[in-house]
Amino acid sequence: MAYREHGFWARDVRAEVWLYLLSEEAVASVTERPAWLDAAQEDWRVQATTGFMGCVSSCLDQHLGVAPDRVAAVLALSERVRERLLRWAPAIPKDVVNGFGTGGESESFDRDLETGLLLTFADTFIALLRGEITGAPGTVTAYRPRPPT
């Protein structure tokens, strides 16, 4: 995940589930989406469900640019997705997460998906949007689980 020359690495499955939930939240909570958010939502859904294997991207530079209102909107969506993950904690049931269709046709979950690593991803993604990640893409990782708070 990269934005404004900074970023972090994460496993595809976490990025895909995150982008799927982010796209779902954009549809569920924003009734009159501006064109840029509509395009971002559609792109995030494609990124989540195609199975790009190592090339999953949120395309934040493309969708947000440096517009503070866009960053604020995606931060708000991200906080709502994070809250949703907390409600699922400690894990998203496998039948629910399999219904997302993330990772293309080859990915399916044979057990519940623990939310700890997804919360780590959420916190890192939010920090990236806030400008708190200062490393170049690939120098920061979002691999260690955090307990739900």
Side-chain angles (χ1 to χ4, degrees):
M1 296 288 117
Y3 180 52
R4 299 177 77 182
E5 300 181 20
H6 303 292
F8 65 96
W9 281 105
R11 303 271 185 229
D12 284 351
V13 65
R14 293 173 200 121
E16 290 164 346
V17 169
W18 175 261
L19 291 174
Y20 176 85
L21 293 172
L22 196 60
S23 74
E24 194 174 69
E25 189 63 38
V27 170
S29 66
V30 183
T31 53
E32 294 186 31
R33 285 182 304 283
W36 72 266
L37 184 54
D38 211 28
Q41 180 275 323
E42 290 175 19
D43 185 42
W44 294 334
R45 182 68 55 113
V46 168
Q47 293 289 325
T49 59
T50 300
F52 287 122
M53 298 185 27
C55 298
V56 177
S57 176
S58 57
C59 303
L60 293 174
D61 287 304
Q62 174 188 341
H63 297 302
L64 306 183
V66 295
D69 60 322
R70 292 181 182 195
V71 174
V74 175
L75 272 169
L77 292 172
S78 297
E79 292 290 350
R80 286 195 285 276
V81 172
R82 188 181 188 288
E83 289 299 316
R84 189 172 179 191
L85 291 171
L86 287 170
R87 288 191 300 273
W88 267 315
I92 303 171
K94 69 179 179 182
D95 58 325
V96 172
V97 76
N98 279 327
F100 297 166
T102 56
E105 294 180 22
S106 64
E107 186 172 275
S108 65
F109 297 88
D110 58 358
R111 65 178 194 257
D112 296 348
L113 180 61
E114 294 180 27
T115 55
L117 289 169
L118 292 169
L119 288 165
T120 298
F121 185 98
D123 293 342
T124 309
F125 189 86
I126 290 167
L128 179 63
L129 288 172
R130 289 181 177 154
E132 297 166 0
I133 302 286
T134 58
T139 60
V140 176
T141 61
Y143 292 142
R144 292 187 183 89
R146 294 182 188 164
T149 56

mmCIF file of all heavy atoms in Angstrom, residues 36-83:
data_model
loop_
_atom_site.group_PDB
_atom_site.id
_atom_site.type_symbol
_atom_site.label_atom_id
_atom_site.label_comp_id
_atom_site.label_asym_id
_atom_site.label_seq_id
_atom_site.Cartn_x
_atom_site.Cartn_y
_atom_site.Cartn_z
ATOM 1 N N TRP A 36 -15.404 10.712 -7.648
ATOM 2 C CA TRP A 36 -14.101 10.156 -7.282
ATOM 3 C C TRP A 36 -14.259 8.975 -6.335
ATOM 4 O O TRP A 36 -13.529 7.988 -6.459
ATOM 5 C CB TRP A 36 -13.182 11.216 -6.668
ATOM 6 C CG TRP A 36 -13.577 11.645 -5.277
ATOM 7 C CD1 TRP A 36 -14.362 12.705 -4.944
ATOM 8 C CD2 TRP A 36 -13.227 10.997 -4.050
ATOM 9 N NE1 TRP A 36 -14.522 12.760 -3.581
ATOM 10 C CE2 TRP A 36 -13.836 11.727 -3.010
ATOM 11 C CE3 TRP A 36 -12.467 9.887 -3.724
ATOM 12 C CZ2 TRP A 36 -13.697 11.375 -1.660
ATOM 13 C CZ3 TRP A 36 -12.326 9.533 -2.377
ATOM 14 C CH2 TRP A 36 -12.942 10.278 -1.376
ATOM 15 N N LEU A 37 -15.208 9.047 -5.379
ATOM 16 C CA LEU A 37 -15.406 7.954 -4.427
ATOM 17 C C LEU A 37 -16.076 6.769 -5.105
ATOM 18 O O LEU A 37 -15.769 5.620 -4.806
ATOM 19 C CB LEU A 37 -16.216 8.422 -3.214
ATOM 20 C CG LEU A 37 -16.397 7.393 -2.102
ATOM 21 C CD1 LEU A 37 -15.060 6.819 -1.631
ATOM 22 C CD2 LEU A 37 -17.163 8.002 -0.932
ATOM 23 N N ASP A 38 -16.968 7.041 -6.025
ATOM 24 C CA ASP A 38 -17.586 5.966 -6.787
ATOM 25 C C ASP A 38 -16.517 5.196 -7.567
ATOM 26 O O ASP A 38 -16.503 3.959 -7.575
ATOM 27 C CB ASP A 38 -18.638 6.536 -7.732
ATOM 28 C CG ASP A 38 -19.777 5.580 -7.995
ATOM 29 O OD1 ASP A 38 -20.072 4.736 -7.120
ATOM 30 O OD2 ASP A 38 -20.361 5.669 -9.081
ATOM 31 N N ALA A 39 -15.596 5.925 -8.202
ATOM 32 C CA ALA A 39 -14.510 5.281 -8.947
ATOM 33 C C ALA A 39 -13.581 4.511 -8.005
ATOM 34 O O ALA A 39 -13.167 3.382 -8.312
ATOM 35 C CB ALA A 39 -13.718 6.325 -9.733
ATOM 36 N N ALA A 40 -13.273 5.092 -6.855
ATOM 37 C CA ALA A 40 -12.419 4.412 -5.879
ATOM 38 C C ALA A 40 -13.086 3.142 -5.375
ATOM 39 O O ALA A 40 -12.447 2.077 -5.302
ATOM 40 C CB ALA A 40 -12.110 5.353 -4.709
ATOM 41 N N GLN A 41 -14.371 3.233 -5.059
ATOM 42 C CA GLN A 41 -15.110 2.068 -4.560
ATOM 43 C C GLN A 41 -15.087 0.931 -5.585
ATOM 44 O O GLN A 41 -14.841 -0.221 -5.241
ATOM 45 C CB GLN A 41 -16.549 2.486 -4.213
ATOM 46 C CG GLN A 41 -17.418 1.391 -3.678
ATOM 47 C CD GLN A 41 -18.087 0.561 -4.769
ATOM 48 O OE1 GLN A 41 -18.489 1.072 -5.807
ATOM 49 N NE2 GLN A 41 -18.208 -0.725 -4.527
ATOM 50 N N GLU A 42 -15.324 1.256 -6.820
ATOM 51 C CA GLU A 42 -15.310 0.226 -7.864
ATOM 52 C C GLU A 42 -13.912 -0.375 -8.018
ATOM 53 O O GLU A 42 -13.770 -1.587 -8.165
ATOM 54 C CB GLU A 42 -15.784 0.829 -9.193
ATOM 55 C CG GLU A 42 -17.263 1.160 -9.195
ATOM 56 C CD GLU A 42 -17.702 1.881 -10.468
ATOM 57 O OE1 GLU A 42 -16.977 1.824 -11.485
ATOM 58 O OE2 GLU A 42 -18.777 2.504 -10.427
ATOM 59 N N ASP A 43 -12.885 0.476 -7.986
ATOM 60 C CA ASP A 43 -11.513 0.002 -8.109
ATOM 61 C C ASP A 43 -11.130 -0.882 -6.928
ATOM 62 O O ASP A 43 -10.510 -1.929 -7.103
ATOM 63 C CB ASP A 43 -10.562 1.190 -8.236
ATOM 64 C CG ASP A 43 -9.129 0.753 -8.495
ATOM 65 O OD1 ASP A 43 -8.913 -0.172 -9.302
ATOM 66 O OD2 ASP A 43 -8.217 1.352 -7.883
ATOM 67 N N TRP A 44 -11.490 -0.485 -5.702
ATOM 68 C CA TRP A 44 -11.167 -1.281 -4.526
ATOM 69 C C TRP A 44 -11.823 -2.661 -4.599
ATOM 70 O O TRP A 44 -11.222 -3.656 -4.221
ATOM 71 C CB TRP A 44 -11.589 -0.559 -3.249
ATOM 72 C CG TRP A 44 -10.813 0.702 -3.000
ATOM 73 C CD1 TRP A 44 -9.551 1.006 -3.433
ATOM 74 C CD2 TRP A 44 -11.265 1.839 -2.274
ATOM 75 N NE1 TRP A 44 -9.188 2.259 -3.011
ATOM 76 C CE2 TRP A 44 -10.214 2.796 -2.300
ATOM 77 C CE3 TRP A 44 -12.444 2.152 -1.607
ATOM 78 C CZ2 TRP A 44 -10.319 4.036 -1.665
ATOM 79 C CZ3 TRP A 44 -12.542 3.385 -0.985
ATOM 80 C CH2 TRP A 44 -11.493 4.314 -1.016
ATOM 81 N N ARG A 45 -13.038 -2.721 -5.117
ATOM 82 C CA ARG A 45 -13.722 -4.006 -5.268
ATOM 83 C C ARG A 45 -12.969 -4.894 -6.260
ATOM 84 O O ARG A 45 -12.775 -6.080 -6.017
ATOM 85 C CB ARG A 45 -15.171 -3.772 -5.705
ATOM 86 C CG ARG A 45 -16.032 -5.001 -5.856
ATOM 87 C CD ARG A 45 -16.340 -5.709 -4.533
ATOM 88 N NE ARG A 45 -16.942 -4.854 -3.547
ATOM 89 C CZ ARG A 45 -18.179 -4.962 -3.086
ATOM 90 N NH1 ARG A 45 -18.962 -5.899 -3.530
ATOM 91 N NH2 ARG A 45 -18.622 -4.137 -2.167
ATOM 92 N N VAL A 46 -12.534 -4.313 -7.365
ATOM 93 C CA VAL A 46 -11.756 -5.071 -8.358
ATOM 94 C C VAL A 46 -10.438 -5.541 -7.747
ATOM 95 O O VAL A 46 -10.052 -6.710 -7.889
ATOM 96 C CB VAL A 46 -11.505 -4.230 -9.633
ATOM 97 C CG1 VAL A 46 -10.467 -4.883 -10.530
ATOM 98 C CG2 VAL A 46 -12.809 -4.008 -10.386
ATOM 99 N N GLN A 47 -9.736 -4.649 -7.063
ATOM 100 C CA GLN A 47 -8.468 -5.010 -6.428
ATOM 101 C C GLN A 47 -8.660 -6.156 -5.432
ATOM 102 O O GLN A 47 -7.812 -7.031 -5.308
ATOM 103 C CB GLN A 47 -7.860 -3.799 -5.706
ATOM 104 C CG GLN A 47 -7.412 -2.677 -6.609
ATOM 105 C CD GLN A 47 -6.183 -3.021 -7.414
ATOM 106 O OE1 GLN A 47 -5.284 -3.717 -6.971
ATOM 107 N NE2 GLN A 47 -6.141 -2.539 -8.646
ATOM 108 N N ALA A 48 -9.786 -6.150 -4.739
ATOM 109 C CA ALA A 48 -10.050 -7.155 -3.710
ATOM 110 C C ALA A 48 -10.421 -8.515 -4.280
ATOM 111 O O ALA A 48 -10.123 -9.539 -3.671
ATOM 112 C CB ALA A 48 -11.170 -6.660 -2.792
ATOM 113 N N THR A 49 -11.060 -8.538 -5.410
ATOM 114 C CA THR A 49 -11.667 -9.792 -5.866
ATOM 115 C C THR A 49 -11.030 -10.420 -7.105
ATOM 116 O O THR A 49 -11.405 -11.524 -7.482
ATOM 117 C CB THR A 49 -13.169 -9.581 -6.153
ATOM 118 O OG1 THR A 49 -13.327 -8.574 -7.149
ATOM 119 C CG2 THR A 49 -13.914 -9.181 -4.877
ATOM 120 N N THR A 50 -10.076 -9.761 -7.718
ATOM 121 C CA THR A 50 -9.504 -10.284 -8.955
ATOM 122 C C THR A 50 -8.417 -11.327 -8.721
ATOM 123 O O THR A 50 -8.275 -12.261 -9.498
ATOM 124 C CB THR A 50 -8.957 -9.132 -9.823
ATOM 125 O OG1 THR A 50 -10.048 -8.266 -10.115
ATOM 126 C CG2 THR A 50 -8.343 -9.633 -11.102
ATOM 127 N N GLY A 51 -7.652 -11.195 -7.650
ATOM 128 C CA GLY A 51 -6.554 -12.118 -7.391
ATOM 129 C C GLY A 51 -5.276 -11.679 -8.080
ATOM 130 O O GLY A 51 -4.658 -12.449 -8.804
ATOM 131 N N PHE A 52 -4.853 -10.445 -7.838
ATOM 132 C CA PHE A 52 -3.678 -9.894 -8.495
ATOM 133 C C PHE A 52 -2.351 -10.495 -8.007
ATOM 134 O O PHE A 52 -1.321 -10.278 -8.611
ATOM 135 C CB PHE A 52 -3.635 -8.372 -8.358
ATOM 136 C CG PHE A 52 -4.638 -7.668 -9.219
ATOM 137 C CD1 PHE A 52 -5.588 -6.836 -8.655
ATOM 138 C CD2 PHE A 52 -4.630 -7.832 -10.590
ATOM 139 C CE1 PHE A 52 -6.513 -6.168 -9.450
ATOM 140 C CE2 PHE A 52 -5.553 -7.178 -11.393
ATOM 141 C CZ PHE A 52 -6.494 -6.345 -10.820
ATOM 142 N N MET A 53 -2.353 -11.216 -6.926
ATOM 143 C CA MET A 53 -1.190 -11.934 -6.397
ATOM 144 C C MET A 53 0.077 -11.078 -6.372
ATOM 145 O O MET A 53 0.891 -11.112 -7.273
ATOM 146 C CB MET A 53 -0.982 -13.230 -7.171
ATOM 147 C CG MET A 53 -2.178 -14.113 -6.980
ATOM 148 S SD MET A 53 -2.251 -15.764 -7.629
ATOM 149 C CE MET A 53 -0.688 -16.404 -7.777
ATOM 150 N N GLY A 54 0.207 -10.296 -5.323
ATOM 151 C CA GLY A 54 1.392 -9.485 -5.123
ATOM 152 C C GLY A 54 1.290 -8.083 -5.682
ATOM 153 O O GLY A 54 2.197 -7.278 -5.480
ATOM 154 N N CYS A 55 0.220 -7.777 -6.354
ATOM 155 C CA CYS A 55 0.073 -6.455 -6.976
ATOM 156 C C CYS A 55 -1.224 -5.776 -6.566
ATOM 157 O O CYS A 55 -1.768 -4.963 -7.313
ATOM 158 C CB CYS A 55 0.125 -6.602 -8.494
ATOM 159 S SG CYS A 55 1.682 -7.256 -9.088
ATOM 160 N N VAL A 56 -1.746 -6.086 -5.395
ATOM 161 C CA VAL A 56 -2.977 -5.460 -4.908
ATOM 162 C C VAL A 56 -2.646 -4.021 -4.507
ATOM 163 O O VAL A 56 -1.670 -3.776 -3.810
ATOM 164 C CB VAL A 56 -3.546 -6.232 -3.704
ATOM 165 C CG1 VAL A 56 -4.784 -5.551 -3.153
ATOM 166 C CG2 VAL A 56 -3.843 -7.675 -4.086
ATOM 167 N N SER A 57 -3.456 -3.078 -4.965
ATOM 168 C CA SER A 57 -3.187 -1.666 -4.677
ATOM 169 C C SER A 57 -4.475 -0.929 -4.331
ATOM 170 O O SER A 57 -5.523 -1.185 -4.905
ATOM 171 C CB SER A 57 -2.547 -0.997 -5.892
ATOM 172 O OG SER A 57 -2.379 0.383 -5.660
ATOM 173 N N SER A 58 -4.354 -0.002 -3.411
ATOM 174 C CA SER A 58 -5.482 0.864 -3.074
ATOM 175 C C SER A 58 -5.569 2.067 -4.000
ATOM 176 O O SER A 58 -6.564 2.787 -3.988
ATOM 177 C CB SER A 58 -5.357 1.347 -1.628
ATOM 178 O OG SER A 58 -4.122 2.015 -1.459
ATOM 179 N N CYS A 59 -4.522 2.311 -4.776
ATOM 180 C CA CYS A 59 -4.467 3.430 -5.733
ATOM 181 C C CYS A 59 -4.828 4.759 -5.066
ATOM 182 O O CYS A 59 -5.561 5.585 -5.630
ATOM 183 C CB CYS A 59 -5.360 3.155 -6.937
ATOM 184 S SG CYS A 59 -4.957 1.632 -7.818
ATOM 185 N N LEU A 60 -4.309 4.985 -3.879
ATOM 186 C CA LEU A 60 -4.658 6.188 -3.125
ATOM 187 C C LEU A 60 -4.208 7.469 -3.823
ATOM 188 O O LEU A 60 -4.935 8.465 -3.810
ATOM 189 C CB LEU A 60 -4.071 6.120 -1.713
ATOM 190 C CG LEU A 60 -4.669 5.044 -0.814
ATOM 191 C CD1 LEU A 60 -3.900 4.970 0.505
ATOM 192 C CD2 LEU A 60 -6.144 5.289 -0.572
ATOM 193 N N ASP A 61 -3.035 7.458 -4.426
ATOM 194 C CA ASP A 61 -2.587 8.668 -5.131
ATOM 195 C C ASP A 61 -3.559 9.026 -6.249
ATOM 196 O O ASP A 61 -3.891 10.194 -6.442
ATOM 197 C CB ASP A 61 -1.177 8.482 -5.693
ATOM 198 C CG ASP A 61 -0.122 8.516 -4.607
ATOM 199 O OD1 ASP A 61 -0.079 9.512 -3.864
ATOM 200 O OD2 ASP A 61 0.648 7.549 -4.495
ATOM 201 N N GLN A 62 -4.010 8.022 -6.955
ATOM 202 C CA GLN A 62 -4.948 8.248 -8.057
ATOM 203 C C GLN A 62 -6.298 8.749 -7.547
ATOM 204 O O GLN A 62 -6.862 9.694 -8.090
ATOM 205 C CB GLN A 62 -5.139 6.946 -8.831
ATOM 206 C CG GLN A 62 -6.194 7.011 -9.905
ATOM 207 C CD GLN A 62 -6.460 5.627 -10.503
ATOM 208 O OE1 GLN A 62 -5.658 4.717 -10.390
ATOM 209 N NE2 GLN A 62 -7.617 5.491 -11.128
ATOM 210 N N HIS A 63 -6.811 8.120 -6.506
ATOM 211 C CA HIS A 63 -8.168 8.434 -6.040
ATOM 212 C C HIS A 63 -8.247 9.637 -5.099
ATOM 213 O O HIS A 63 -9.254 10.342 -5.096
ATOM 214 C CB HIS A 63 -8.802 7.217 -5.379
ATOM 215 C CG HIS A 63 -8.977 6.062 -6.316
ATOM 216 N ND1 HIS A 63 -9.698 6.147 -7.482
ATOM 217 C CD2 HIS A 63 -8.504 4.804 -6.260
ATOM 218 C CE1 HIS A 63 -9.676 4.983 -8.107
ATOM 219 N NE2 HIS A 63 -8.953 4.157 -7.397
ATOM 220 N N LEU A 64 -7.206 9.842 -4.304
ATOM 221 C CA LEU A 64 -7.253 10.920 -3.317
ATOM 222 C C LEU A 64 -6.430 12.136 -3.714
ATOM 223 O O LEU A 64 -6.770 13.258 -3.325
ATOM 224 C CB LEU A 64 -6.763 10.433 -1.952
ATOM 225 C CG LEU A 64 -7.430 9.194 -1.365
ATOM 226 C CD1 LEU A 64 -6.871 8.920 0.019
ATOM 227 C CD2 LEU A 64 -8.929 9.333 -1.356
ATOM 228 N N GLY A 65 -5.346 11.896 -4.430
ATOM 229 C CA GLY A 65 -4.434 13.000 -4.707
ATOM 230 C C GLY A 65 -3.985 13.608 -3.393
ATOM 231 O O GLY A 65 -3.661 12.897 -2.449
ATOM 232 N N VAL A 66 -4.021 14.923 -3.312
ATOM 233 C CA VAL A 66 -3.661 15.619 -2.069
ATOM 234 C C VAL A 66 -4.861 16.375 -1.504
ATOM 235 O O VAL A 66 -4.701 17.261 -0.661
ATOM 236 C CB VAL A 66 -2.452 16.565 -2.282
ATOM 237 C CG1 VAL A 66 -1.207 15.774 -2.618
ATOM 238 C CG2 VAL A 66 -2.745 17.599 -3.348
ATOM 239 N N ALA A 67 -6.064 16.008 -1.953
ATOM 240 C CA ALA A 67 -7.285 16.704 -1.530
ATOM 241 C C ALA A 67 -7.660 16.325 -0.091
ATOM 242 O O ALA A 67 -8.001 15.174 0.171
ATOM 243 C CB ALA A 67 -8.430 16.367 -2.476
ATOM 244 N N PRO A 68 -7.592 17.291 0.831
ATOM 245 C CA PRO A 68 -7.891 16.991 2.235
ATOM 246 C C PRO A 68 -9.293 16.418 2.446
ATOM 247 O O PRO A 68 -9.481 15.567 3.323
ATOM 248 C CB PRO A 68 -7.747 18.343 2.937
ATOM 249 C CG PRO A 68 -6.951 19.186 2.024
ATOM 250 C CD PRO A 68 -7.213 18.691 0.642
ATOM 251 N N ASP A 69 -10.280 16.857 1.670
ATOM 252 C CA ASP A 69 -11.633 16.347 1.862
ATOM 253 C C ASP A 69 -11.726 14.871 1.465
ATOM 254 O O ASP A 69 -12.447 14.093 2.102
ATOM 255 C CB ASP A 69 -12.657 17.179 1.079
ATOM 256 C CG ASP A 69 -12.401 17.179 -0.426
ATOM 257 O OD1 ASP A 69 -11.220 17.219 -0.846
ATOM 258 O OD2 ASP A 69 -13.390 17.154 -1.178
ATOM 259 N N ARG A 70 -10.979 14.472 0.458
ATOM 260 C CA ARG A 70 -10.981 13.065 0.045
ATOM 261 C C ARG A 70 -10.283 12.198 1.086
ATOM 262 O O ARG A 70 -10.760 11.120 1.427
ATOM 263 C CB ARG A 70 -10.312 12.904 -1.323
ATOM 264 C CG ARG A 70 -11.108 13.538 -2.437
ATOM 265 C CD ARG A 70 -10.434 13.335 -3.769
ATOM 266 N NE ARG A 70 -11.190 13.987 -4.834
ATOM 267 C CZ ARG A 70 -11.010 13.759 -6.114
ATOM 268 N NH1 ARG A 70 -10.082 12.898 -6.525
ATOM 269 N NH2 ARG A 70 -11.738 14.394 -7.016
ATOM 270 N N VAL A 71 -9.166 12.685 1.583
ATOM 271 C CA VAL A 71 -8.443 11.951 2.632
ATOM 272 C C VAL A 71 -9.348 11.798 3.853
ATOM 273 O O VAL A 71 -9.464 10.705 4.425
ATOM 274 C CB VAL A 71 -7.121 12.655 2.998
ATOM 275 C CG1 VAL A 71 -6.461 11.971 4.193
ATOM 276 C CG2 VAL A 71 -6.181 12.673 1.802
ATOM 277 N N ALA A 72 -10.014 12.864 4.243
ATOM 278 C CA ALA A 72 -10.913 12.818 5.397
ATOM 279 C C ALA A 72 -12.050 11.818 5.177
ATOM 280 O O ALA A 72 -12.421 11.082 6.093
ATOM 281 C CB ALA A 72 -11.480 14.208 5.687
ATOM 282 N N ALA A 73 -12.585 11.780 3.978
ATOM 283 C CA ALA A 73 -13.677 10.841 3.678
ATOM 284 C C ALA A 73 -13.206 9.393 3.792
ATOM 285 O O ALA A 73 -13.897 8.546 4.375
ATOM 286 C CB ALA A 73 -14.239 11.114 2.283
ATOM 287 N N VAL A 74 -12.023 9.097 3.264
ATOM 288 C CA VAL A 74 -11.515 7.725 3.321
ATOM 289 C C VAL A 74 -11.069 7.376 4.738
ATOM 290 O O VAL A 74 -11.218 6.229 5.179
ATOM 291 C CB VAL A 74 -10.413 7.495 2.268
ATOM 292 C CG1 VAL A 74 -9.800 6.103 2.400
ATOM 293 C CG2 VAL A 74 -10.996 7.678 0.866
ATOM 294 N N LEU A 75 -10.575 8.343 5.485
ATOM 295 C CA LEU A 75 -10.279 8.101 6.901
ATOM 296 C C LEU A 75 -11.548 7.726 7.657
ATOM 297 O O LEU A 75 -11.541 6.787 8.461
ATOM 298 C CB LEU A 75 -9.636 9.332 7.536
ATOM 299 C CG LEU A 75 -8.130 9.440 7.436
ATOM 300 C CD1 LEU A 75 -7.655 10.823 7.862
ATOM 301 C CD2 LEU A 75 -7.458 8.361 8.262
ATOM 302 N N ALA A 76 -12.621 8.438 7.418
ATOM 303 C CA ALA A 76 -13.895 8.135 8.090
ATOM 304 C C ALA A 76 -14.380 6.739 7.715
ATOM 305 O O ALA A 76 -14.824 5.972 8.582
ATOM 306 C CB ALA A 76 -14.945 9.185 7.742
ATOM 307 N N LEU A 77 -14.304 6.393 6.447
ATOM 308 C CA LEU A 77 -14.679 5.039 6.017
ATOM 309 C C LEU A 77 -13.795 4.001 6.696
ATOM 310 O O LEU A 77 -14.280 2.959 7.150
ATOM 311 C CB LEU A 77 -14.549 4.897 4.494
ATOM 312 C CG LEU A 77 -15.515 5.681 3.632
ATOM 313 C CD1 LEU A 77 -15.120 5.571 2.156
ATOM 314 C CD2 LEU A 77 -16.948 5.209 3.837
ATOM 315 N N SER A 78 -12.494 4.281 6.760
ATOM 316 C CA SER A 78 -11.547 3.348 7.370
ATOM 317 C C SER A 78 -11.847 3.130 8.846
ATOM 318 O O SER A 78 -11.764 1.998 9.343
ATOM 319 C CB SER A 78 -10.115 3.868 7.194
ATOM 320 O OG SER A 78 -9.774 3.930 5.832
ATOM 321 N N GLU A 79 -12.188 4.192 9.547
ATOM 322 C CA GLU A 79 -12.537 4.057 10.973
ATOM 323 C C GLU A 79 -13.787 3.188 11.143
ATOM 324 O O GLU A 79 -13.858 2.373 12.067
ATOM 325 C CB GLU A 79 -12.745 5.430 11.609
ATOM 326 C CG GLU A 79 -11.483 6.261 11.722
ATOM 327 C CD GLU A 79 -10.475 5.747 12.751
ATOM 328 O OE1 GLU A 79 -10.796 4.835 13.538
ATOM 329 O OE2 GLU A 79 -9.338 6.265 12.752
ATOM 330 N N ARG A 80 -14.757 3.330 10.239
ATOM 331 C CA ARG A 80 -15.966 2.501 10.320
ATOM 332 C C ARG A 80 -15.649 1.037 10.024
ATOM 333 O O ARG A 80 -16.187 0.141 10.675
ATOM 334 C CB ARG A 80 -17.043 3.040 9.389
ATOM 335 C CG ARG A 80 -17.700 4.320 9.920
ATOM 336 C CD ARG A 80 -18.991 4.667 9.222
ATOM 337 N NE ARG A 80 -18.826 5.207 7.893
ATOM 338 C CZ ARG A 80 -18.587 6.483 7.609
ATOM 339 N NH1 ARG A 80 -18.450 7.369 8.578
ATOM 340 N NH2 ARG A 80 -18.477 6.891 6.365
ATOM 341 N N VAL A 81 -14.769 0.799 9.070
ATOM 342 C CA VAL A 81 -14.368 -0.583 8.781
ATOM 343 C C VAL A 81 -13.625 -1.164 9.979
ATOM 344 O O VAL A 81 -13.846 -2.320 10.358
ATOM 345 C CB VAL A 81 -13.511 -0.670 7.500
ATOM 346 C CG1 VAL A 81 -12.934 -2.071 7.328
ATOM 347 C CG2 VAL A 81 -14.330 -0.289 6.283
ATOM 348 N N ARG A 82 -12.769 -0.383 10.597
ATOM 349 C CA ARG A 82 -12.044 -0.846 11.785
ATOM 350 C C ARG A 82 -13.022 -1.222 12.892
ATOM 351 O O ARG A 82 -12.868 -2.248 13.554
ATOM 352 C CB ARG A 82 -11.073 0.232 12.269
ATOM 353 C CG ARG A 82 -10.159 -0.257 13.364
ATOM 354 C CD ARG A 82 -9.215 0.832 13.865
ATOM 355 N NE ARG A 82 -8.237 0.287 14.768
ATOM 356 C CZ ARG A 82 -8.500 -0.130 16.005
ATOM 357 N NH1 ARG A 82 -9.719 -0.077 16.493
ATOM 358 N NH2 ARG A 82 -7.525 -0.619 16.767
ATOM 359 N N GLU A 83 -14.045 -0.400 13.091
ATOM 360 C CA GLU A 83 -15.064 -0.708 14.094
ATOM 361 C C GLU A 83 -15.793 -2.012 13.749
ATOM 362 O O GLU A 83 -16.111 -2.807 14.637
ATOM 363 C CB GLU A 83 -16.069 0.440 14.220
ATOM 364 C CG GLU A 83 -15.497 1.677 14.876
ATOM 365 C CD GLU A 83 -15.034 1.413 16.300
ATOM 366 O OE1 GLU A 83 -15.764 0.733 17.060
ATOM 367 O OE2 GLU A 83 -13.937 1.872 16.645
#
